[in-house]
Amino acid sequence: QKEVEQNSGPLSVPEGAIASLNCTYSDRGSQSFFWYRQYSGKSPELIMFIYSNGDKEDGRFTAQLNKASQYVSLLIRDSQPSDSATYLCAVHTRLAFGKGNQVVVIP
Amino acid sequence: NAGVTQTPKFQVLKTGQSMTLQCAQDMNHNSMYWYRQDPGMGLRLIYYSASEGTTDKGEVPNGYNVSRLNKREFSLRLESAAPSQTSVYFCASPVTGTGSYEQYFGPGTRLTVT
């Protein structure tokens, strides 16, 4: 089992809708969880990190962590065309990354 | 303050050739990482260095060697390049000690092996 799994295919959402991305991890001892955004041809950039169970909000982004079920999710509210990118989940045990989910926001 | 820099940005190699990818960070971080990114595969860890003088294998180390030259520099060497090593290579260095572990990435090296 991979350390970090992101299994959903490309996600298309209408502008203004909510995009929801999920990620599961295998190491129960993991403490830190991250969401990175990567535009085509660019380096990943951090958009959210979360350490505690529950929700963490930052602008239009909300990260949700459930350590008992070993998943972390990212919600993007009021999606904009500029949110079209690949979103990578990462877990701090050697900073392992998932495969990423491509999000396309349709105007 | 340039953050993480990588050279070269692009490289084309023939099978069997060797090359070294260079990475440097000016943030005084202890740890440095090398990832490769292939379409649909996300970022896969090749090697990392938790501190100057130490290196450890990641998920996909075969065919690569690394050198942590000093605190600033961490190089990745392909001794005999293979087409399977065609990829985008990212060097990164995380913030540590503050509880953050945010990973700062370099701009990447796009390598093609023919």
Side-chain angles (χ1 to χ4, degrees), chain A residues 36-92:
Chain A
Y36 285 81
R37 177 177 62 202
Q38 186 177 24
Y39 292 114
S40 180
K42 300 295 186 183
S43 306
E45 56 179 340
L46 182 70
I47 54 170
M48 290 286 291
F49 64 89
I50 186 167
Y51 304 140
S52 304
N53 274 329
D55 295 0
K56 179 182 179 182
E57 189 173 311
D58 184 359
R60 297 185 294 108
F61 298 98
T62 299
Q64 299 173 318
L65 175 60
N66 184 322
K67 288 187 178 181
S69 301
Q70 294 177 243
Y71 79 79
V72 57
S73 60
L74 179 70
L75 300 177
I76 308 173
R77 292 184 302 281
D78 188 23
S79 295
Q80 302 296 310
S82 60
D83 296 326
S84 297
T86 296
Y87 291 80
L88 299 158
C89 175
V91 174
H92 176 61

Side-chain angles (χ1 to χ4, degrees), chain A residues 34 36 38 41 43 51 95, chain B residues 35 37 57 99-100 103 106 110:
Chain A
F34 306 86
Y36 285 81
Q38 186 177 24
S43 306
Y51 304 140
L95 290 165
Chain B
Y35 295 93
Q37 187 172 38
K57 294 179 180 179
S100 169
Q103 194 69 296
R110 282 149 183 79

Side-chain angles (χ1 to χ4, degrees), chain B residues 30-87:
Chain B
N30 288 319
S31 301
M32 298 183 74
Y33 290 65
W34 275 106
Y35 295 93
R36 62 176 287 173
Q37 187 172 38
D38 304 298
M41 298 297 289
L43 285 160
R44 292 186 291 171
L45 182 62
I46 305 171
Y47 272 94
Y48 67 102
S49 170
S51 62
E52 185 179 352
T54 69
T55 60
D56 286 285
K57 294 179 180 179
E59 183 184 353
V60 288
N62 291 343
Y64 305 96
N65 287 303
V66 290
S67 295
R68 185 71 184 270
L69 303 170
N70 47 55
K71 192 171 186 179
R72 289 188 65 249
E73 298 171 290
F74 187 38
S75 62
L76 179 72
R77 183 160 178 84
L78 287 71
E79 291 290 351
S80 179
S84 61
Q85 295 178 304
T86 293
S87 189

